[in-house]
Amino acid sequence: MKKLFSSLLLLSFFLFFAQTDTAQVINLDRKNAVEVISKPYVILISADGFRYDYAEKYKAENLLKLAQYGVSAKAMLPSFPSITFPNHWSLITGLYPAHHGLIDNYFYDYQKKKFYAMSNKEAAEDGTWYGGTPLWSLAEKQGMLSASMMWVGSASDAGGERPTYYYHYHEKFTPNEKVDKVVDWLKLPEDRRPHFITLYFPEVDASGHHFGPDTKETENAVHLIDDAVGNLVEKVKQLGLKNVNFIFVADHGMIKVDVEHPIAIPEMLFDKSRFDFYNSQTLMRVVVKDPAEVHSVYKELKKNKTSDYDVFLNKRFPKKLNFSLKDDRYNRIGQIIVVPKAPKIFLEKGKKTSLGKHGYSPYEVPEMKATFIAFGPAFKNDKKIGEFQNVNVYPIVTDVLKLKMTEPIDGTQKVAKEILK
Ligand SMILES: [Zn+2]
């Protein structure tokens, strides 16, 4: 009996947390400034891992139709490394990962003497890890309410202001439940109604990792998100709001990797007295503890390497990837960068891993490229554009919402000028 009671207690404990975890956080002190009420709306949607060619490959009917009505890019180039947290933060700040500080999903900061890990709630909601001004913070500071359905970093105080409405991250809502909550935000009285909304879907990425990009399961996930987007557009239309704009993006693509023949991590790196290394499988960063040793270690790694990967000194890392020593504003990357050639990955002996991966350079591996589709009254109709870098999404949003940028970013107005009416 006592045991039953304690399990019930445990159960109710978990239920309590399950409930509080999924609850919306609302800042009731805020209202739109008077001049904001007549401004347009932007819903920025990210479908994680929605590769540039998925809509066509899997015939995502709604997205293809909306792309035809609005603007679509041949592909959007993720910033390097093509990993989830760095790229969501690049999309929302207009800065490259090495410039905003989120250089990976997991990394160590030697000044803070702390780990950042996307799965660690305390770190993920601690704004001091995140550089730049996220769009919701920019909006809030200019009197415009914002809302976020689980965009990376949106539960943190990065940039100074959280969204007026947000959720702590969890995966209990279905895509259509998220859509309903977004529609509910747009039903609020106009002084409480958010004009900038971010919406995040993890399903396509999860399927791509687990089953691989070229599978029925990933096709199904693409249709799940396509249906949710169709549902969102239809429900928003029924609200009769005049000026709602949609931007559909992904953080990166996906490729099936060679999990049967991974590259062994060079033996010498296991000497903890001399090195720390951080293996993201599609990228490995090496910190050499004695700076005097960097050059000789680099030479040794290079001499012993196979044709399956490249070794770079961070100061000579390819310029176009914006991930070199001079880009490393938070000093988090490490002096040596080791890059496997797709479909090869680095893997610790005996460790299992998933079939689908991302993280490679989009210039070397086209499968890393992401989707960009935008539509609504602010956007041109039936407009196809070429490839562009994802740091250029930020100025598109500021332009549509007439927000003033308050600090320099890496993106420019060029794409905005090309696609906006
Ligand atoms: Zn991702």
Side-chain angles (χ1 to χ4, degrees):
M1 188 61 197
K2 201 172 164 196
K3 203 168 172 192
L4 178 69
F5 177 74
S6 58
S7 359
L8 278 175
L9 194 71
L10 201 67
L11 183 70
S12 56
F13 182 78
F14 280 121
L15 282 176
F16 172 76
F17 273 92
Q19 277 168 357
T20 49
D21 258 353
T22 59
Q24 185 182 176
V25 185
I26 304 176
N27 186 337
L28 287 170
D29 296 336
R30 290 187 185 154
K31 282 185 180 179
N32 280 314
V34 178
E35 68 276 14
V36 166
I37 288 171
S38 58
K39 279 190 174 185
Y41 298 86
V42 169
I43 306 178
L44 176 62
I45 307 160
S46 163
D48 201 315
F50 202 108
R51 206 167 71 184
Y52 74 102
D53 60 342
Y54 276 179
E56 297 235 0
K57 179 180 165 78
Y58 293 129
K59 303 198 170 38
E61 275 180 35
N62 293 305
L63 285 166
L64 290 175
K65 204 166 65 193
L66 293 162
Q68 208 171 27
Y69 159 65
V71 179
S72 64
K74 192 167 168 239
M76 185 169 66
L77 300 168
S79 299
F80 188 84
S82 56
I83 293 174
T84 302
F85 271 51
N87 276 284
H88 276 93
W89 205 246
S90 288
L91 284 161
I92 209 71
T93 61
L95 296 172
Y96 297 120
H99 294 176
H100 62 56
L102 226 60
I103 54 133
D104 204 335
N105 288 341
Y106 305 89
F107 58 88
Y108 187 74
D109 184 295
Y110 286 81
Q111 279 91 55
K112 283 177 179 273
K113 296 191 170 52
K114 275 184 179 170
F115 271 105
Y116 177 89
M118 63 171 184
S119 50
N120 177 323
K121 189 170 177 248
E122 196 191 315
E125 297 192 357
D126 172 359
T128 65
W129 286 103
Y130 302 81
T133 304
L135 282 164
W136 55 75
S137 182
L138 192 74
E140 297 282 353
K141 285 177 185 170
Q142 293 173 33
M144 175 183 281
L145 299 196
S146 67
S148 183
M149 182 53 79
M150 302 187 208
W151 194 278
V152 167
S154 60
S156 82
D157 59 350
E161 298 292 348
R162 290 181 167 87
T164 296
Y165 310 92
Y166 68 93
Y167 288 82
H168 297 286
Y169 190 78
H170 66 78
E171 294 182 355
K172 293 183 181 84
F173 295 158
T174 64
N176 278 327
E177 283 171 341
K178 288 182 177 174
V179 164
D180 287 342
K181 290 174 196 305
V182 167
V183 174
D184 285 345
W185 282 328
L186 292 174
K187 287 180 187 162
L188 289 168
E190 57 185 13
D191 58 342
R192 298 280 185 180
R193 192 185 302 152
H195 281 249
F196 176 60
I197 297 176
T198 48
L199 166 58
Y200 173 71
F201 295 120
E203 290 80 1
V204 174
D205 179 73
S207 178
H209 278 299
H210 193 76
F211 301 103
D214 309 305
T215 57
K216 190 73 197 161
E217 287 84 354
T218 298
E219 179 173 0
N220 292 343
V222 165
H223 288 149
L224 182 75
I225 297 312
D226 184 57
D227 289 348
V229 172
N231 182 24
L232 172 67
V233 173
E234 190 49 42
K235 284 186 167 154
V236 169
K237 206 167 122 190
Q238 284 166 16
L239 297 176
L241 292 173
K242 290 269 176 305
N243 212 343
V244 186
N245 297 282
F246 300 81
I247 305 173
F248 179 89
V249 296
D251 49 351
H252 52 71
M254 188 69 68
I255 188 171
K256 186 181 172 193
V257 295
D258 184 359
V259 288
E260 300 300 325
H261 313 94
I263 315 167
I265 291 162
E267 262 325 302
M268 65 185 289
L269 295 180
F270 288 94
D271 183 348
K272 284 214 180 314
S273 67
R274 294 172 65 204
F275 310 107
D276 288 330
F277 71 86
Y278 302 94
N279 178 23
S280 308
Q281 301 184 0
T282 50
L283 169 73
M284 190 158 60
R285 297 177 293 103
V286 180
V287 174
V288 183
K289 290 185 179 171
D290 177 1
E293 266 203 311
V294 173
H295 211 79
S296 59
V297 169
Y298 162 70
K299 282 197 157 164
E300 200 175 338
L301 282 171
K302 206 159 159 89
K303 193 178 81 194
N304 298 325
K305 84 175 192 66
T306 69
S307 60
D308 288 336
Y309 62 98
D310 286 318
V311 181
F312 298 92
L313 278 172
N314 69 349
K315 61 182 170 192
R316 293 207 205 106
F317 201 63
K319 217 175 152 196
K320 66 180 170 189
L321 296 179
N322 306 290
F323 201 68
S324 67
L325 177 65
K326 87 174 178 6
D327 293 300
D328 190 10
R329 292 187 188 158
Y330 293 81
N331 194 20
R332 288 172 179 170
I333 294 175
Q335 305 102 321
I336 297 174
I337 303 170
V338 189
V339 183
K341 292 179 186 165
K344 290 288 183 181
I345 53 165
F346 278 102
L347 195 63
E348 287 83 352
K349 268 193 206 112
K351 204 174 160 184
K352 290 247 181 298
T353 192
S354 58
L355 274 179
K357 298 272 177 228
H358 48 86
Y360 302 109
S361 158
Y363 299 102
E364 306 293 330
V365 186
E367 290 88 342
M368 297 300 101
K369 295 176 189 176
T371 297
F372 175 90
I373 297 169
F375 47 94
F379 293 98
K380 289 183 181 165
N381 301 114
D382 196 11
K383 172 95 182 155
K384 308 266 175 286
I385 59 164
E387 296 180 348
F388 69 90
Q389 293 183 308
N390 67 356
V391 290
N392 296 299
V393 169
Y394 193 96
I396 300 171
V397 176
T398 56
D399 206 324
V400 174
L401 293 176
K402 305 281 172 267
L403 295 171
K404 217 160 82 198
M405 273 195 246
T406 50
E407 61 185 277
I409 60 159
D410 293 317
T412 70
Q413 301 284 350
K414 193 170 161 273
V415 183
K417 284 209 175 99
E418 201 182 344
I419 67 175
L420 293 173
K421 277 180 186 161

